[in-house]
Amino acid sequence: MSDLKMTVSLTSVNGENMSRHDMLQWVNTMVQGQFKKIEELCSGVAYCQMMELIFPNCINLKRVKMSAKLEHECLHNLKLFQGAFTRLKLDKTVPIDRLIKGRFQDNFEFLQWFKKFFDSQAPGMENIKSAANAPIPKPIKPRGFAKELAKVVSPPASDISAEDDLTISDLMSEIQTLSLKTDSAVVARDECYNKLLQIEGLMDDMINGGKHVEFCNRICAVLYKTIDGQPAAADSLGSNGNANGNAAPDTALVPPVANAEY
């Protein structure tokens, strides 16, 4: 940004010589918007998009709430807009507390300033128009900002910053991924348990029929080992896996708990 012009040029064609309708038409041309009132610019969406036209990558447009309607959504966008000035080391404070109220005079005066700033920094109208026709994340749908904002309760003083908002989004995504992995592990666990249960039943049938008794008992001994790898107590199991000398019952394999946590 070494070629950044730090001053705002005043020419014969600037925001002060344009009517509100001309100003709105200029904004809508730059961002392909459909704003009907100056007051709607309090959402901060258009300012973020036009700032990105002048200084690419100064604002991540994916973080801009394109359909901002509530006061805290407009506040979020205006803070991103102010952050761009800070990163560019421009000595300009955006009057967020006045813009967010949605009053015509405050928003019109700031738009006049921004128009002069835009003209002083733009590399050329042809380039800007070309950039304005580039795809944007969402078409802007104007809302009745002035009326809606009057009904909205002000957000708490400890408002969530843009960085915190992004961190929360990442954490929620990670939680969702872990939840899917847990569900997959539960399904695999249940499949393994059902297979072991079928093997136990087959061993019981073989032992009760007197076929390969010793081999079946060895398999059952493996099935009935405790979680620490120790065999079942010798004084509680008979030759076939229980005290009666018969194969261990189906309950010898403890079914998994359905809602077990991992």
Side-chain angles (χ1 to χ4, degrees), residues 243-258:
N244 297 322
N246 298 321
D250 291 346
T251 54
L253 285 177
V254 181
V257 180

Side-chain angles (χ1 to χ4, degrees), residues 75-258:
L75 180 63
H76 169 82
N77 291 341
L78 289 173
K79 283 185 176 181
L80 291 179
F81 180 49
Q82 175 66 77
F85 280 98
T86 303
R87 283 189 292 275
L88 294 169
K89 298 182 180 180
L90 286 169
D91 186 15
K92 176 63 179 178
T93 301
V94 179
I96 296 177
D97 56 334
R98 289 191 291 132
L99 296 179
I100 202 170
K101 294 179 181 179
R103 291 195 293 255
F104 168 79
Q105 190 62 32
D106 293 330
N107 282 273
F108 188 63
E109 288 179 358
F110 184 78
L111 179 60
Q112 287 178 319
W113 177 88
F114 186 79
K115 175 65 167 64
K116 291 182 287 186
F117 172 76
F118 186 95
D119 291 342
S120 71
Q121 303 299 328
M125 287 304 298
E126 292 182 357
N127 293 337
I128 295 300
K129 288 181 180 179
S130 176
N133 292 328
I136 56 177
K138 266 188 181 179
I140 301 173
K141 297 181 180 179
R143 309 277 183 144
F145 292 106
K147 294 181 181 180
E148 294 292 338
L149 290 177
K151 302 177 183 178
V152 176
V153 179
S154 298
S158 58
D159 185 58
I160 299 177
S161 66
E163 291 75 11
D164 292 338
D165 190 22
L166 184 62
T167 301
I168 292 174
S169 177
D170 292 339
L171 290 175
M172 292 300 294
S173 177
E174 185 175 353
I175 290 174
Q176 185 177 6
T177 301
L178 292 175
S179 178
L180 292 174
K181 290 182 178 180
T182 300
D183 292 341
S184 178
V186 169
V187 172
R189 178 202 64 184
D190 292 342
E191 289 180 354
C192 291
Y193 173 76
N194 290 331
K195 291 178 181 179
L196 291 173
L197 200 61
Q198 293 177 27
I199 293 174
E200 184 187 34
L202 291 174
M203 295 300 101
D204 289 344
D205 292 342
M206 294 285 287
I207 293 173
N208 292 333
K211 299 178 181 179
H212 308 290
V213 175
E214 182 180 354
F215 177 72
C216 292
N217 282 334
R218 291 170 61 187
I219 294 178
C220 288
V222 175
L223 292 177
Y224 303 148
K225 277 186 179 180
T226 60
I227 193 170
D228 58 358
Q230 298 299 322
D235 58 352
S236 62
L237 297 178
S239 60
N240 294 336
N242 59 27
N244 297 322
N246 298 321
D250 291 346
T251 54
L253 285 177
V254 181
V257 180

